[in-house]
Each structure stands twice: as structure tokens, then as C-alpha cells.
Amino acid sequence: MAKVTTGTGDAGYTGLLGEQRVPKYDPRPDTFGTVDEATSALGLARAVAQDPHVKAIIFQVQQELYLLMGELATPPENYETMGLKMTIEHVQRLELVEEELKREVEIPNKFIIPGDTVDGAVLDLARTIIRRAERMAVKLLHDNVIQNGEVVRYLNRLSDMIFILARYIEVKSSLAQKPKEMNDPIA
């Protein structure tokens, strides 16, 4: 049976891939922890999704996010030996999925209030977590903690694609019910 508790983090440090240990609040574990949150939110979206195509898209993204987390957890001295790297091909795959989905659904030119369907709302939650991870990854890139700009591009394209996937689900769902518009402004 796999050992879940190592006891090595009790002093507030966590290991990167290799020998290096950093405080748990270090920007690296903070960022890959946020990506892990997004992966879990996507897991919830996959669990409640009814459409097998949507489930497959989400699962592929979850696998790619594990690669991305591995890259974020790799210190520069181990970067080449670990071989964990986001590439332009990962970004291009997201762009292809996005284009495929946009052929199926028209994206409204207005703000969207999440909540028309459970699966769409969960995807919107995942999207916001991905946006937070993107902001954190941008800081890592700008501070030269990471050197691969594809990490940031991937997260940026992913949040766009997840937004479109949520709209796709809502349009395809017969369960989507928008609340009645209120005539009186909220005081």
C-alpha cells in the first residue's frame, strides 16, 4: 500500500523534484498547489458531466495539468533530467479543441453569470482557479523562477477553452434554465 504521510512536511517545508526543499508558502508549491486545485475542480466537472466527449476533453486536460505541475515542481538544476515540459503542441491542442467547440456553440458577447447547469458552473469554478494559477505562473516567469513561457500560454488558453466548454455544456443541456430577469435593481 502506498504511504500517504511522509512526515517530512511537518516543519513547513516541501520537496521539489530532486533534493531541494522549500517552504510550503514558496511561490512554486503555491502555484502548483493552485494547479492541483484546478485539477480537482475539473475532476468534479468530469464526474457530473453527462457528455462522453466533454468527459474525454476534461480528462486529457487533467493529465496535461499533472505534467505542468511536474514542471513547476522541477528546480532549474533538474529541469533537463526530469523531462517534464509543456510545449507549443500542448497549447495548439487546446486551441484546436477551442475551435471545435466554437463551431458548435455561439459565445455571447456579454458577461456570463455562472449557474445555468451544475456541470457548467463547476467548469466556471475550475476556470477561475486556472486564471489564478495563470497569474501566479506569470509571476514565476517574470521573476525568472521558471523559463518556459508555454506554461503561462497553456494556462491562458486552458481558461479560455474551459469557458467555451462550459457554454457548450449549457447550450447542449436541456436542463439549462436561466433565472427570470429582475425588473427592480438590487438596492
Side-chain angles (χ1 to χ4, degrees):
M1 179 182 290
K3 187 175 178 183
V4 175
T5 303
T6 64
T8 60
D10 292 348
Y13 288 85
T14 193
L16 299 179
L17 295 178
E19 300 297 319
Q20 187 177 357
R21 295 189 63 74
V22 295
K24 291 187 177 203
Y25 57 82
D26 183 88
R28 275 184 186 271
D30 201 16
T31 305
F32 62 72
T34 301
V35 174
D36 191 29
E37 286 179 50
T39 303
S40 295
L42 288 169
L44 178 58
R46 185 167 54 90
V48 299
Q50 300 297 311
D51 184 323
H53 181 58
V54 169
K55 287 179 175 281
I57 290 170
I58 295 170
F59 186 69
Q60 177 72 39
V61 165
Q62 287 178 294
Q63 291 175 317
E64 291 170 352
L65 286 175
Y66 273 98
L67 174 66
L68 190 144
M69 284 187 283
E71 181 171 355
L72 291 172
T74 304
E77 63 270 14
N78 297 341
Y79 194 70
E80 293 304 319
T81 58
M82 289 297 174
L84 302 170
K85 185 175 181 180
M86 297 307 294
T87 65
I88 187 68
E89 289 79 19
H90 292 104
V91 174
Q92 290 170 340
R93 191 195 68 73
L94 287 177
E95 291 170 343
L96 288 173
V97 172
E98 182 179 324
E99 290 305 314
E100 169 197 329
L101 293 170
K102 286 195 305 193
R103 285 192 295 273
E104 299 275 333
V105 62
E106 183 178 333
I107 304 302
N109 189 18
K110 62 179 183 175
F111 285 105
I112 303 295
I113 298 176
D116 288 344
T117 63
V118 171
D119 43 6
V122 174
L123 281 170
D124 280 316
L125 175 62
R127 174 186 50 79
T128 64
I129 298 168
I130 293 163
R131 283 283 190 213
R132 179 165 30 103
E134 177 191 0
R135 292 188 301 271
M136 297 168 85
V138 165
K139 178 142 178 48
L140 292 178
L141 184 66
H142 289 181
D143 290 348
N144 291 314
V145 175
I146 62 171
Q147 284 73 45
N148 184 7
E150 297 307 323
V151 168
V152 171
R153 279 187 279 285
Y154 182 86
L155 291 169
N156 181 270
R157 297 310 186 289
L158 178 58
S159 62
D160 292 344
M161 190 274 286
I162 295 296
F163 175 82
I164 295 165
L165 188 61
R167 307 298 70 82
Y168 171 87
I169 286 173
E170 291 167 352
V171 166
K172 297 290 182 182
S173 174
S174 62
L175 301 174
Q177 292 184 9
K178 294 183 175 73
K180 294 179 182 177
E181 291 191 29
M182 297 176 63
N183 293 329
D184 297 324
I186 297 174

